[in-house]
Amino acid sequence: MQEISQYLADTLRQLRTDRGWSLDRAATECGVSKAMLGQIERGESSPTVATLWKIASGFGTSLSSFIEPPPAEQRGVTLRSADTLRQRPAADAMLIAPLFPFDARYGFELFELTLLPGYERLSEPHSEGVVEHVIVVRGVMELLVRGVWQQLKEGEAVRFAADQPHGYRNAGTQPAVFHDLIYYPPQSR
């Protein structure tokens, strides 16, 4: 967890420096308090996934850019294992394995997400044109799209415009595991 916090802190600080933004400006752009951003940069706070999304959206970047650096490629091949990547990068009860962090060549990032029993997260709209593809790998989950919660079982998939409010929840007693491929159109990065 310490490595993740330090990577997040360094990435946030570097993005601010690259843009020449003060903490005040970053807070305004992200919709996250200046105090919270300062705590994250100092490694004193573990934000929720929702807060990480706000920060990523405010900077016009991907969520995965705050979790880990792009993976190494060997002769055009990238091999990843969810078991070795799975982590809890935020303060809430969601495990995240960034299978393929965002790469501008492809325009997407791919996560394996695990919702622990009782977990619910409501997500604010992402940037215009962002589309999510959710595929349930194990268990049962619910997805909020266009104001309606719909149940998804193992093997079921849905694609939706993520530039509107949406959410994920696990009302069951077993973890729900799904893959989430998030596509970013060129103008939203």
Side-chain angles (χ1 to χ4, degrees), residues 76-94:
V77 176
T78 306
L79 179 62
R80 311 278 283 167
S81 167
D83 288 339
T84 59
L85 297 167
R86 199 171 293 114
Q87 56 187 289
R88 187 183 229 152
D92 45 9
M94 179 190 286

Side-chain angles (χ1 to χ4, degrees), residues 174-185:
Q174 298 297 313
V177 180
F178 66 100
H179 289 163
D180 193 357
L181 185 143
I182 305 171
Y183 168 76
Y184 296 88

Side-chain angles (χ1 to χ4, degrees), residues 19-82:
R19 286 169 174 76
W21 289 2
S22 65
L23 275 174
D24 284 324
R25 169 83 187 268
T28 299
E29 296 292 331
C30 298
V32 174
S33 74
K34 176 181 172 181
M36 172 60 82
L37 291 174
Q39 289 172 355
I40 293 169
E41 280 194 13
R42 291 188 304 274
E44 298 171 356
S45 177
S46 179
T48 64
V49 172
T51 300
L52 285 177
W53 267 115
K54 283 181 166 183
I55 295 169
S57 294
F59 279 97
T61 191
S62 66
L63 175 64
S64 60
S65 65
F66 288 102
I67 298 174
E68 70 170 46
E73 223 176 77
Q74 294 181 356
R75 296 184 302 179
V77 176
T78 306
L79 179 62
R80 311 278 283 167
S81 167

Side-chain angles (χ1 to χ4, degrees), residues 132-173:
E132 290 192 36
H133 305 75
V134 169
I135 305 104
V136 179
V137 177
R138 187 172 61 248
V140 177
M141 65 175 284
E142 294 178 55
L143 183 67
L144 177 66
V145 178
R146 296 186 180 211
V148 177
W149 286 101
Q150 63 183 48
Q151 186 179 73
L152 296 173
K153 298 176 193 156
E154 191 171 310
E156 293 184 325
V158 65
R159 176 175 46 215
F160 64 95
D163 55 4
Q164 60 187 349
H166 54 284
Y168 317 89
R169 73 179 174 199
N170 178 0
T173 59

